[in-house]
Amino acid sequence: MASPTEFLGPILELMTWVGVVPGVPLLIIGWIIRKRRCNWSTTDGEVFTAGRYRGLQWTDNTSTSRRGLLEPDQAPELQAGHVAVLHYDICHPARWRLEPPRHDNTATVLGLVLTGVGIASAIAGFVLMML
């Protein structure tokens, strides 16, 4: 009969490789994505009407006047002349939204989980060797 040490050793070594090898590159990719991402700015936009459509007009960080049409279901409570808070991408001002943007980075999260599992498995493997 095999002892638990003989059984757990190969499993922990495999989990170390499965965690660290893809985890570290994912952390690097997530870091690159975070560095290349542009910041979003918040400003006030005035609601205007264009026929049956409504839109927002605002001035971006370069003092350029911008306009964007609202989807019909996006903000039914906004009427012409009202002021709404909008968020826009500084590098690409045509990308805007009424709700604050989420800066999710799946590569970083997955890299942290895999690297953490790999490091924990490596530590457990060293502890197992010492027993």
Side-chain angles (χ1 to χ4, degrees), residues 36-96:
R36 294 198 63 195
R37 181 182 291 148
C38 290
N39 292 328
W40 285 64
S41 184
T42 303
T43 188
D44 292 332
E46 183 179 350
V47 180
F48 69 91
T49 58
R52 305 183 294 142
Y53 299 100
R54 283 178 289 168
L56 286 172
Q57 179 176 349
W58 72 95
T59 305
D60 65 10
N61 60 337
T62 61
S63 298
T64 303
S65 181
R66 302 273 180 186
R67 285 186 173 196
L69 291 177
L70 291 165
E71 296 291 327
D73 60 334
Q74 196 171 18
E77 68 277 353
L78 295 177
Q79 300 299 324
H82 284 112
V83 175
V85 175
L86 72 106
H87 309 273
Y88 68 94
D89 188 346
I90 291 176
C91 297
H92 307 94
R95 290 178 48 194
W96 61 275

Coordinates of all heavy atoms in Angstrom, one line a residue, residues 36-96:
R36 N -1.8 49.7 -21.0 CA -2.2 50.3 -22.3 C -3.6 50.8 -22.3 O -4.0 51.5 -23.2 CB -2.1 49.2 -23.4 CG -0.7 48.7 -23.6 CD -0.5 48.0 -24.8 NE -0.8 49.0 -25.9 CZ -1.1 48.6 -27.2 NH1 -1.0 47.3 -27.5 NH2 -1.3 49.4 -28.1
R37 N -4.4 50.5 -21.2 CA -5.8 51.0 -21.1 C -5.8 52.5 -20.9 O -5.0 53.0 -20.0 CB -6.5 50.3 -20.0 CG -7.9 50.7 -19.9 CD -8.6 50.0 -18.7 NE -8.8 48.6 -19.1 CZ -8.7 47.6 -18.2 NH1 -8.6 47.9 -16.9 NH2 -8.9 46.4 -18.6
C38 N -6.7 53.2 -21.5 CA -6.8 54.6 -21.3 C -7.7 54.9 -20.1 O -8.6 54.1 -19.8 CB -7.4 55.3 -22.6 SG -6.3 55.3 -23.9
N39 N -7.6 56.0 -19.5 CA -8.4 56.4 -18.4 C -9.7 57.0 -18.9 O -9.8 57.4 -20.1 CB -7.7 57.5 -17.6 CG -6.6 57.0 -16.8 OD1 -6.5 55.9 -16.4 ND2 -5.6 57.9 -16.7
W40 N -10.7 56.9 -18.1 CA -12.1 57.4 -18.4 C -12.3 58.7 -17.6 O -11.8 58.8 -16.5 CB -13.2 56.4 -18.1 CG -13.2 55.3 -19.1 CD1 -12.3 54.4 -19.3 CD2 -14.3 55.0 -20.0 NE1 -12.7 53.5 -20.3 CE2 -14.0 53.9 -20.7 CE3 -15.5 55.6 -20.2 CZ2 -14.8 53.3 -21.7 CZ3 -16.4 55.0 -21.1 CH2 -16.0 53.9 -21.9
S41 N -12.9 59.7 -18.2 CA -13.2 60.9 -17.5 C -14.7 61.1 -17.4 O -15.5 60.5 -18.1 CB -12.6 62.1 -18.3 OG -12.8 63.3 -17.7
T42 N -15.1 61.9 -16.4 CA -16.5 62.2 -16.2 C -16.8 63.6 -16.5 O -16.0 64.5 -16.1 CB -16.8 61.9 -14.7 OG1 -16.5 60.5 -14.4 CG2 -18.3 62.1 -14.4
T43 N -17.9 63.9 -17.1 CA -18.3 65.2 -17.4 C -19.8 65.3 -17.5 O -20.5 64.3 -17.4 CB -17.7 65.7 -18.8 OG1 -18.0 67.1 -18.9 CG2 -18.3 64.9 -19.9
D44 N -20.3 66.5 -17.6 CA -21.8 66.7 -17.7 C -22.1 66.9 -19.2 O -21.4 67.6 -19.9 CB -22.2 68.0 -17.0 CG -22.1 67.8 -15.5 OD1 -22.2 66.7 -15.0 OD2 -21.9 68.8 -14.8
G45 N -23.2 66.2 -19.6 CA -23.6 66.3 -21.0 C -25.1 66.8 -21.0 O -25.9 66.4 -20.2
E46 N -25.4 67.7 -21.9 CA -26.7 68.2 -22.1 C -27.5 67.3 -23.1 O -27.0 67.0 -24.1 CB -26.7 69.6 -22.6 CG -28.1 70.3 -22.6 CD -28.0 71.7 -23.1 OE1 -26.9 72.3 -23.2 OE2 -29.1 72.3 -23.4
V47 N -28.7 67.0 -22.7 CA -29.6 66.2 -23.5 C -30.2 67.1 -24.6 O -30.7 68.2 -24.4 CB -30.7 65.5 -22.7 CG1 -31.6 64.7 -23.6 CG2 -30.1 64.7 -21.6
F48 N -30.1 66.6 -25.9 CA -30.7 67.3 -27.0 C -31.6 66.3 -27.8 O -31.5 65.1 -27.6 CB -29.7 67.9 -27.9 CG -28.9 66.9 -28.7 CD1 -29.3 66.5 -30.0 CD2 -27.7 66.4 -28.2 CE1 -28.5 65.6 -30.7 CE2 -26.9 65.4 -28.9 CZ -27.4 65.0 -30.1
T49 N -32.5 66.8 -28.6 CA -33.3 66.0 -29.4 C -33.0 66.2 -30.9 O -32.6 67.3 -31.3 CB -34.8 66.3 -29.2 OG1 -35.0 67.7 -29.5 CG2 -35.3 66.0 -27.8
A50 N -33.1 65.1 -31.7 CA -32.8 65.2 -33.1 C -33.9 64.3 -33.7 O -33.8 63.1 -33.9 CB -31.5 64.6 -33.4
G51 N -35.0 65.0 -34.1 CA -36.2 64.2 -34.6 C -36.8 63.4 -33.5 O -37.1 63.8 -32.4
R52 N -36.8 62.0 -33.7 CA -37.4 61.1 -32.7 C -36.3 60.7 -31.7 O -36.6 60.0 -30.8 CB -37.9 59.8 -33.4 CG -38.9 60.1 -34.5 CD -39.4 58.7 -35.0 NE -38.4 58.0 -35.8 CZ -38.2 56.7 -35.7 NH1 -39.0 56.0 -35.0 NH2 -37.3 56.1 -36.4
Y53 N -35.1 61.0 -32.0 CA -34.0 60.6 -31.2 C -33.5 61.6 -30.2 O -33.7 62.8 -30.4 CB -32.8 60.2 -32.1 CG -33.1 59.1 -33.0 CD1 -33.4 59.4 -34.4 CD2 -33.1 57.8 -32.6 CE1 -33.7 58.4 -35.3 CE2 -33.4 56.8 -33.5 CZ -33.7 57.1 -34.8 OH -34.0 56.1 -35.7
R54 N -32.9 61.1 -29.1 CA -32.3 62.0 -28.1 C -30.8 61.7 -28.0 O -30.4 60.5 -28.3 CB -32.9 61.7 -26.7 CG -34.3 62.3 -26.6 CD -34.8 62.0 -25.2 NE -35.2 60.6 -25.3 CZ -35.5 59.9 -24.3 NH1 -35.5 60.4 -23.1 NH2 -35.8 58.6 -24.4
G55 N -30.1 62.6 -27.7 CA -28.6 62.4 -27.6 C -28.0 63.3 -26.5 O -28.7 64.1 -25.8
L56 N -26.7 63.2 -26.3 CA -26.0 64.0 -25.3 C -24.9 64.8 -26.1 O -24.3 64.3 -27.0 CB -25.3 63.1 -24.3 CG -26.3 62.5 -23.3 CD1 -25.5 61.5 -22.4 CD2 -26.9 63.5 -22.4
Q57 N -24.8 66.0 -25.6 CA -23.7 66.9 -26.1 C -22.8 67.3 -24.9 O -23.3 67.7 -23.9 CB -24.3 68.1 -26.8 CG -23.3 69.1 -27.3 CD -23.9 70.3 -28.0 OE1 -25.1 70.2 -28.3 NE2 -23.1 71.3 -28.3
W58 N -21.5 67.1 -25.1 CA -20.6 67.4 -24.1 C -19.3 67.9 -24.7 O -19.0 67.9 -25.9 CB -20.3 66.2 -23.2 CG -19.5 65.1 -23.8 CD1 -18.1 65.0 -23.7 CD2 -19.9 64.1 -24.6 NE1 -17.7 63.9 -24.4 CE2 -18.8 63.3 -25.0 CE3 -21.2 63.7 -25.1 CZ2 -18.9 62.2 -25.8 CZ3 -21.3 62.6 -26.0 CH2 -20.2 61.9 -26.3
T59 N -18.4 68.5 -23.8 CA -17.1 68.9 -24.2 C -16.1 68.0 -23.6 O -16.1 67.8 -22.4 CB -16.9 70.4 -23.8 OG1 -17.9 71.2 -24.3 CG2 -15.5 70.9 -24.3
D60 N -15.1 67.5 -24.4 CA -14.2 66.5 -23.8 C -12.9 67.3 -23.3 O -12.9 68.5 -23.2 CB -13.7 65.5 -24.9 CG -13.0 66.1 -26.1 OD1 -12.7 67.3 -26.0 OD2 -12.8 65.3 -27.1
N61 N -11.9 66.5 -22.9 CA -10.7 67.1 -22.3 C -9.9 68.0 -23.2 O -9.0 68.7 -22.7 CB -9.9 66.0 -21.6 CG -9.4 65.0 -22.7 OD1 -9.9 64.9 -23.7 ND2 -8.3 64.4 -22.3
T62 N -10.1 67.9 -24.5 CA -9.4 68.8 -25.5 C -10.3 70.0 -25.9 O -10.0 70.6 -26.9 CB -9.0 68.0 -26.7 OG1 -10.1 67.5 -27.4 CG2 -8.0 66.8 -26.3
S63 N -11.3 70.2 -25.2 CA -12.3 71.3 -25.4 C -13.0 71.2 -26.8 O -13.3 72.1 -27.4 CB -11.6 72.7 -25.4 OG -11.1 72.9 -24.0
T64 N -13.1 69.9 -27.2 CA -13.8 69.6 -28.5 C -15.3 69.3 -28.1 O -15.5 68.5 -27.2 CB -13.2 68.4 -29.2 OG1 -11.8 68.8 -29.4 CG2 -13.9 68.1 -30.5
S65 N -16.2 69.9 -28.8 CA -17.6 69.6 -28.6 C -17.9 68.2 -29.2 O -17.6 67.9 -30.4 CB -18.5 70.6 -29.2 OG -19.8 70.3 -29.0
R66 N -18.6 67.3 -28.4 CA -18.9 66.0 -28.9 C -20.4 65.8 -28.8 O -21.1 66.4 -27.9 CB -18.2 64.9 -28.0 CG -16.7 65.0 -28.0 CD -16.1 64.3 -29.1 NE -14.7 64.4 -29.1 CZ -13.9 63.9 -30.0 NH1 -14.5 63.3 -31.1 NH2 -12.6 64.1 -30.0
R67 N -20.9 64.9 -29.6 CA -22.3 64.5 -29.6 C -22.4 63.0 -29.7 O -21.7 62.4 -30.5 CB -23.1 65.2 -30.7 CG -23.4 66.6 -30.5 CD -24.3 67.2 -31.5 NE -24.7 68.5 -31.2 CZ -25.6 69.2 -31.7 NH1 -26.4 68.6 -32.6 NH2 -25.9 70.4 -31.3
G68 N -23.4 62.4 -29.1 CA -23.7 61.0 -29.2 C -25.2 60.8 -29.0 O -25.8 61.4 -28.2
L69 N -25.7 59.9 -29.8 CA -27.2 59.5 -29.7 C -27.4 58.5 -28.6 O -26.6 57.6 -28.5 CB -27.7 59.0 -31.0 CG -27.8 60.1 -32.1 CD1 -28.3 59.4 -33.4 CD2 -28.7 61.2 -31.7
L70 N -28.5 58.6 -27.9 CA -28.8 57.7 -26.9 C -29.7 56.6 -27.5 O -30.5 56.8 -28.4 CB -29.7 58.3 -25.8 CG -28.9 59.3 -24.9 CD1 -29.9 60.1 -24.1 CD2 -28.0 58.6 -23.9
E71 N -29.5 55.4 -27.0 CA -30.4 54.3 -27.4 C -31.8 54.6 -26.8 O -31.9 55.2 -25.7 CB -29.9 52.9 -26.9 CG -28.6 52.5 -27.5 CD -28.7 52.1 -28.9 OE1 -29.8 51.6 -29.3 OE2 -27.8 52.4 -29.7
P72 N -32.9 54.2 -27.5 CA -34.2 54.5 -26.9 C -34.5 54.0 -25.5 O -35.1 54.6 -24.7 CB -35.2 53.9 -27.9 CG -34.4 53.8 -29.2 CD -33.0 53.6 -28.8
D73 N -34.0 52.8 -25.2 CA -34.2 52.2 -23.9 C -33.1 52.6 -22.9 O -33.1 52.2 -21.8 CB -34.3 50.7 -24.0 CG -33.0 50.1 -24.6 OD1 -32.3 50.8 -25.3 OD2 -32.7 48.9 -24.3
Q74 N -32.1 53.4 -23.3 CA -30.9 53.6 -22.5 C -31.3 54.6 -21.3 O -30.9 54.4 -20.2 CB -29.8 54.3 -23.3 CG -28.5 54.2 -22.6 CD -27.4 54.6 -23.6 OE1 -27.6 55.3 -24.6 NE2 -26.2 54.3 -23.2
A75 N -32.0 55.6 -21.6 CA -32.4 56.6 -20.6 C -33.7 57.2 -20.9 O -33.8 58.4 -21.3 CB -31.3 57.6 -20.4
P76 N -34.8 56.5 -20.7 CA -36.1 57.1 -21.0 C -36.5 58.3 -20.2 O -37.4 59.1 -20.6 CB -37.1 55.9 -20.8 CG -36.4 55.0 -19.8 CD -34.9 55.2 -20.1
E77 N -35.9 58.5 -19.0 CA -36.3 59.6 -18.2 C -35.6 60.9 -18.5 O -36.0 62.0 -18.0 CB -36.0 59.3 -16.7 CG -34.5 59.2 -16.3 CD -33.9 57.8 -16.6 OE1 -34.6 56.9 -17.0 OE2 -32.7 57.7 -16.5
L78 N -34.6 60.9 -19.4 CA -33.9 62.1 -19.8 C -34.7 62.9 -20.8 O -35.2 62.3 -21.8 CB -32.5 61.8 -20.4 CG -31.5 61.1 -19.4 CD1 -30.3 60.8 -20.2 CD2 -31.2 62.0 -18.3
Q79 N -34.9 64.2 -20.6 CA -35.6 65.0 -21.5 C -34.7 66.1 -22.0 O -33.7 66.4 -21.4 CB -36.8 65.7 -20.7 CG -37.8 64.7 -20.2 CD -38.5 63.9 -21.3 OE1 -38.7 64.4 -22.4 NE2 -38.7 62.6 -21.0
A80 N -35.0 66.7 -23.1 CA -34.2 67.7 -23.8 C -34.0 68.9 -22.8 O -34.9 69.3 -22.1 CB -34.9 68.3 -25.0
G81 N -32.7 69.3 -22.7 CA -32.3 70.4 -21.8 C -31.8 69.9 -20.5 O -31.1 70.7 -19.8
H82 N -32.1 68.7 -20.1 CA -31.5 68.2 -18.8 C -30.1 67.9 -18.9 O -29.5 67.7 -20.0 CB -32.3 66.9 -18.4 CG -33.6 67.1 -17.9 ND1 -34.7 66.7 -18.5 CD2 -34.0 67.6 -16.7 CE1 -35.8 67.0 -17.8 NE2 -35.4 67.6 -16.7
V83 N -29.4 67.9 -17.8 CA -28.0 67.6 -17.8 C -27.8 66.2 -17.1 O -28.4 65.9 -16.1 CB -27.2 68.7 -16.9 CG1 -25.8 68.3 -16.8 CG2 -27.4 70.0 -17.6
A84 N -27.0 65.4 -17.8 CA -26.7 64.0 -17.3 C -25.2 63.8 -17.2 O -24.4 64.4 -17.9 CB -27.3 63.0 -18.3
V85 N -24.8 63.1 -16.2 CA -23.4 62.8 -16.0 C -23.0 61.6 -16.9 O -23.7 60.6 -17.0 CB -23.1 62.4 -14.5 CG1 -21.7 61.9 -14.4 CG2 -23.4 63.5 -13.6
L86 N -22.0 61.8 -17.7 CA -21.5 60.7 -18.6 C -20.1 60.5 -18.5 O -19.3 61.3 -18.0 CB -21.9 61.0 -20.1 CG -21.1 62.1 -20.8 CD1 -20.2 61.4 -21.8 CD2 -22.1 63.0 -21.5
H87 N -19.6 59.3 -18.8 CA -18.2 58.9 -18.7 C -17.7 58.6 -20.1 O -18.4 57.9 -20.9 CB -18.1 57.6 -17.9 CG -18.8 57.8 -16.5 ND1 -18.2 58.3 -15.5 CD2 -20.1 57.5 -16.2 CE1 -19.1 58.3 -14.4 NE2 -20.2 57.8 -14.8
Y88 N -16.5 59.1 -20.5 CA -16.0 58.9 -21.8 C -14.5 58.5 -21.7 O -13.8 58.8 -20.8 CB -16.2 60.1 -22.7 CG -15.4 61.3 -22.3 CD1 -14.2 61.5 -22.9 CD2 -15.9 62.2 -21.4 CE1 -13.4 62.7 -22.6 CE2 -15.2 63.3 -21.0 CZ -13.9 63.5 -21.6 OH -13.2 64.6 -21.3
D89 N -14.1 57.7 -22.7 CA -12.7 57.3 -22.8 C -11.8 58.5 -23.3 O -12.1 59.1 -24.3 CB -12.6 56.1 -23.8 CG -11.2 55.5 -23.8 OD1 -10.3 56.1 -23.3 OD2 -11.1 54.4 -24.4
I90 N -10.8 58.8 -22.6 CA -10.0 60.0 -22.9 C -9.3 59.8 -24.3 O -9.2 60.7 -25.1 CB -8.9 60.3 -21.8 CG1 -9.7 60.8 -20.6 CG2 -7.9 61.3 -22.3 CD1 -8.8 61.1 -19.4
C91 N -8.8 58.6 -24.6 CA -8.1 58.3 -25.8 C -9.1 58.2 -27.0 O -8.7 58.5 -28.1 CB -7.3 57.0 -25.7 SG -6.0 57.1 -24.5
H92 N -10.3 57.7 -26.7 CA -11.3 57.5 -27.8 C -12.6 58.2 -27.3 O -13.5 57.4 -26.8 CB -11.5 56.1 -28.1 CG -10.3 55.3 -28.4 ND1 -9.5 54.7 -27.4 CD2 -9.6 55.2 -29.5 CE1 -8.5 54.2 -28.0 NE2 -8.5 54.5 -29.3
P93 N -12.8 59.5 -27.4 CA -14.0 60.1 -26.8 C -15.3 59.7 -27.4 O -16.3 59.9 -26.8 CB -13.7 61.6 -27.1 CG -12.3 61.7 -27.4 CD -11.8 60.4 -27.9
A94 N -15.3 59.0 -28.5 CA -16.5 58.5 -29.1 C -17.1 57.3 -28.3 O -18.2 57.0 -28.4 CB -16.3 58.0 -30.5
R95 N -16.2 56.7 -27.4 CA -16.6 55.7 -26.5 C -17.1 56.3 -25.2 O -16.3 56.9 -24.5 CB -15.5 54.7 -26.2 CG -15.1 53.8 -27.4 CD -13.9 53.0 -27.1 NE -14.1 52.3 -25.8 CZ -13.2 51.6 -25.2 NH1 -11.9 51.6 -25.6 NH2 -13.4 51.0 -24.0
W96 N -18.4 56.3 -25.0 CA -19.0 56.9 -23.8 C -20.1 56.1 -23.3 O -20.6 55.2 -24.0 CB -19.4 58.4 -24.1 CG -20.5 58.4 -25.2 CD1 -20.3 58.5 -26.5 CD2 -21.9 58.5 -24.9 NE1 -21.5 58.5 -27.1 CE2 -22.5 58.5 -26.2 CE3 -22.7 58.4 -23.8 CZ2 -23.9 58.5 -26.3 CZ3 -24.1 58.5 -23.9 CH2 -24.7 58.5 -25.2

